[in-house]
Amino acid sequence: MKYVSIAEAIEKGKGTVELRGWCYRERKSNKYAFIVLRDNTDIIQCIVEKENVLPEVWAQVENLLIESSLTIKGEIVKEPRAPTGYELKAKELKIIQFADRFPITKDQSTEFLLDKRHLWIRSRELTNVWKIKAQLLKACREFFDKKKYYEVTPPIITGSSCEGGSTLFELKYFDDKAYLSQSAQLYLEAMIFSLEKVWALTPSFRAEPSKTTRHLTEYWHLEAEAAWMNFEDLLKLEEELVSYICQYVAKNCKKELAVLGRDPKDLEKIKPPFPRITYDEAIKILKQDEISIDWGKDLRTIEEDQLMKHYDKPLIVTKYPKKIKAFYMKEDPENKDVVLCCDVIAPEGYGEIIGSSERETDLENLKQRLKEQGEKIEDYEWYLDLRCFGSVPHSGFGLGVERVLRWICKLETVRDCIPFPRTIKRMTP
Ligand code: NSS
């Protein structure tokens, strides 16, 4: 007999099937054993009756602990009292591996759960997060494909910094020094001169010394760059992508969202246009709210959270002061103190999800900004070359996959959006 998945068995609703998976819960008496079996599709209660199975099988069932792997054959019947509405009446059962006593029980500390992460990733909550993440990534691929962007594969080992030296991970590279990539942007900028519209999904690395619910030292970065794209088109593209992701997940992950307590209707509401304000306007709103912040200071978590009390959709904040932003951002032709950049901030206090800008194309300006930021011009020679061989106006953005996923799944921390989170104090398991 061929194995069917638990979801297929429930869908069928009757007849004899053979399932395989892991013991999710178990409860035994002298005559009966209830085994809740799980596979990657669902869970189902299985009832094993001592009288209906061979004595050696019953002896095995008596010793069965959760997370043991097994196969069960039996008849599917409707059972409203069972967790998923159906029950399997076992006729045959085979233990593939008897599990040791599972170390994770109720009410354990976050640190303990992170130590046992290799086991905790099978939990029901996290399993649903992985499923939603897979759909989110599928939505992004589909989005860029429809927009005729090419997916490209930039390097991870790099010789210069993109987002400033303070958060670079250094690496011994034979007799030289190299760094782990913080962003593929500079390489995507190079690729647009062959493919015009490109995107990439890569791990990005940030030696962030802060322990927050928003920062990982290794995260998945979705970035896009396009030739001829101006600032206005950039904002539209970001708005469309975020909306596409939300619509896609709302439609395809109803069951998973329910487990995590997110109503798909919250996501269905996320449609263009998003509210837009400039940095100057953000400062004004904050001052009205009696938050003291001087013009020229970056918006921190508390300021972002305060701003978002006024909005229930992602907020686009544009034109930050030049002196606090990266060297590659284009100066606003109407005001030399600000740049044509944009951050997208998620609602409900989930913080920044996108960083982006139109790119500076003026060679002298770029060199000046690099100098001001204490960078060596020689390290950026190849990048500056791009401004000398058919330079065109262009723009791009970077979206933090785990940040968006955290918002969508309503999770406490970005650490639960990646199977094996890397943070200041943790690189195992
Ligand atoms: O630093 S960013 O704001 N922008 C860039 O890296 C640009 N070079 C991207 C580009 O234009 N191609 O990072 C982009 C996003 C940011 O909005 C967050 O959503 C996410 O990357 N991000 C992070 N996620 C998790 N952990 C950390 N530490 C982190 N840092 C940024």
Side-chain angles (χ1 to χ4, degrees), residues 102-115:
F102 202 57
I104 302 173
T105 52
K106 264 193 191 150
D107 302 325
Q108 257 147 351
S109 74
T110 312
E111 281 311 305
F112 180 82
L113 291 177
L114 284 168
D115 287 339

Side-chain angles (χ1 to χ4, degrees), residues 1-9 12 16-22 37 39-41 69-74 88 92-96:
M1 194 168 177
K2 212 169 135 253
Y3 296 103
V4 297
S5 71
I6 293 175
E8 282 166 340
K12 213 170 146 212
T16 299
V17 294
E18 188 155 14
L19 305 174
R20 57 182 166 187
W22 292 264
L37 190 75
D39 68 8
N40 71 355
T41 63
S69 46
L70 65 155
T71 65
I72 310 188
K73 189 173 170 179
L88 184 118
E92 288 169 30
L93 183 146
K94 193 172 158 208
I95 313 277
I96 306 298

Side-chain angles (χ1 to χ4, degrees), residues 162-163 182-183 185 206 208 214-216 219 221 223-225 328 352-356 359 396-400 403 414:
C162 177
E163 293 302 320
Q182 298 165 309
S183 161
Q185 180 191 322
R206 308 264 168 126
E208 309 267 10
R214 297 180 184 180
H215 292 90
L216 293 162
Y219 71 96
H221 204 172
E223 293 176 274
E225 194 74 29
Y328 53 73
E352 180 199 319
I353 49 173
I354 291 182
S356 66
R359 311 310 186 190
F397 68 83
L399 171 151
R403 295 260 184 107
V414 80

Side-chain angles (χ1 to χ4, degrees), residues 159-390:
S160 53
S161 110
C162 177
E163 293 302 320
S166 68
T167 64
L168 276 178
F169 276 112
E170 204 176 287
L171 180 82
K172 190 170 160 334
Y173 194 71
F174 304 102
D175 291 332
D176 216 339
K177 262 196 286 189
Y179 307 99
L180 291 178
S181 170
Q182 298 165 309
S183 161
Q185 180 191 322
L186 305 187
Y187 295 96
L188 296 187
E189 284 192 57
M191 294 293 293
I192 60 163
F193 295 96
S194 79
L195 293 170
E196 294 194 24
K197 303 202 291 186
V198 296
W199 74 280
L201 174 67
T202 59
S204 271
F205 302 87
R206 308 264 168 126
E208 309 267 10
S210 48
K211 196 174 176 231
T212 76
T213 53
R214 297 180 184 180
H215 292 90
L216 293 162
T217 53
E218 177 184 296
Y219 71 96
W220 285 84
H221 204 172
L222 185 91
E223 293 176 274
E225 194 74 29
W228 316 110
M229 181 159 69
N230 64 24
F231 192 50
E232 178 59 31
D233 292 340
L234 173 71
L235 305 190
K236 275 207 189 117
L237 187 72
E238 293 169 10
E239 213 169 56
E240 278 183 49
L241 171 62
V242 172
S243 305
Y244 194 88
I245 292 171
C246 289
Q247 301 301 322
Y248 194 94
V249 170
K251 180 165 169 238
N252 296 300
C253 304
K254 291 210 157 54
K255 221 165 98 180
E256 293 79 8
L257 290 169
V259 173
L260 300 171
R262 163 66 81 194
D263 186 342
K265 286 202 185 80
D266 301 342
L267 303 176
E268 282 162 12
K269 283 196 305 220
I270 308 298
K271 282 187 187 151
F274 294 171
R276 292 181 188 188
I277 59 172
T278 61
Y279 171 87
D280 287 3
E281 287 163 336
I283 298 293
K284 259 187 223 148
I285 297 173
L286 290 169
K287 286 205 166 133
Q288 278 162 13
D289 290 355
E290 291 174 4
I291 299 278
S292 78
I293 176 167
D294 290 332
W295 195 95
K297 290 264 179 292
D298 209 353
L299 302 181
R300 296 165 306 171
T301 302
I302 40 165
E303 283 100 20
E304 281 177 2
D305 290 353
Q306 179 62 34
L307 267 183
M308 291 316 289
K309 292 189 178 152
H310 300 269
Y311 304 93
D312 60 358
K313 267 197 201 180
L315 174 68
I316 294 182
V317 186
T318 62
K319 302 194 180 180
Y320 285 64
K322 184 164 75 185
K323 63 171 197 212
I324 53 165
K325 284 294 184 180
F327 72 93
Y328 53 73
M329 296 183 172
K330 189 182 170 70
E331 224 172 63
D332 181 359
E334 286 163 16
N335 175 4
K336 287 198 176 318
D337 292 334
V338 302
V339 283
L340 296 181
C341 70
C342 148
D343 279 1
V344 179
I345 308 175
E348 302 169 55
Y350 290 102
E352 180 199 319
I353 49 173
I354 291 182
S356 66
S357 78
E358 182 164 342
R359 311 310 186 190
E360 183 59 82
T361 47
D362 184 278
L363 190 58
E364 289 317 310
N365 265 353
L366 274 174
K367 284 186 182 165
Q368 182 59 31
R369 302 266 292 283
L370 279 169
K371 267 193 224 148
E372 281 166 14
Q373 303 196 357
E375 296 283 346
K376 286 200 215 104
I377 305 283
E378 310 89 84
D379 292 344
Y380 293 85
E381 240 157 48
W382 69 266
Y383 177 73
L384 297 173
D385 244 6
L386 303 176
R387 305 299 188 259
C388 306
F389 296 92

